[in-house]
Amino acid sequence: MNIYNRSTIKAFIKKHSDCRDQMTLWYHEVSGKNWKSPKDVKKDFATASIIRNNRVVFNIKGNKYRMVVAMNYERRWAQIKFIGTHAEYDRIDANTVEEH
């Protein structure tokens, strides 16, 4: 998968260095995938939540952080829409949030 807006990950890690290893691992794992459907995502990330609008919520660092990613399986891209703490995630609508 081609991951758009890698700068979002870098900026988040700068503020939350405790998740550097997990975010780096996520990036490398996902960029090496060729997912064709949400089922493929769940096979690789069992704790991911599939939601509306072709979006996936990934739990980072034992669910301390959450990341909302819009998927386009046909074009093989993933666009990060949100990364934040669990509390910040609770204040957004994951189905409609845009990159912040």
Side-chain angles (χ1 to χ4, degrees):
M1 301 297 285
N2 296 310
I3 301 170
Y4 289 91
N5 55 344
R6 185 175 181 191
S7 61
T8 301
I9 293 173
K10 289 180 179 181
F12 189 76
I13 289 172
K14 191 172 185 177
K15 290 170 65 175
H16 302 277
S17 62
D18 64 317
C19 68
R20 176 183 311 279
D21 293 342
Q22 291 84 1
M23 292 300 296
T24 301
L25 180 62
W26 179 90
Y27 180 86
H28 289 293
E29 283 189 40
V30 173
S31 63
K33 299 296 180 185
N34 186 20
W35 291 327
K36 297 187 183 333
S37 72
K39 183 179 172 182
D40 295 334
V41 176
K42 287 295 282 185
K43 186 168 53 171
D44 292 326
F45 289 89
T47 61
S49 299
I50 309 300
I51 61 175
R52 292 190 328 236
N53 297 330
N54 285 320
R55 291 182 178 210
V56 179
V57 179
F58 292 93
N59 299 318
I60 307 295
K61 193 164 180 165
N63 207 18
K64 181 176 180 179
Y65 304 107
R66 289 198 166 174
M67 179 167 44
V68 178
V69 180
M71 300 290 192
N72 184 318
Y73 300 102
E74 185 177 300
R75 292 187 174 147
R76 293 193 63 244
W77 62 252
Q79 184 177 24
I80 299 166
K81 296 294 187 176
F82 169 87
I83 309 173
T85 64
H86 199 341
E88 291 168 334
Y89 173 83
D90 288 342
R91 293 191 297 266
I92 62 151
D93 181 347
N95 294 298
T96 60
V97 69
E98 290 299 324
E99 184 179 359
H100 69 282

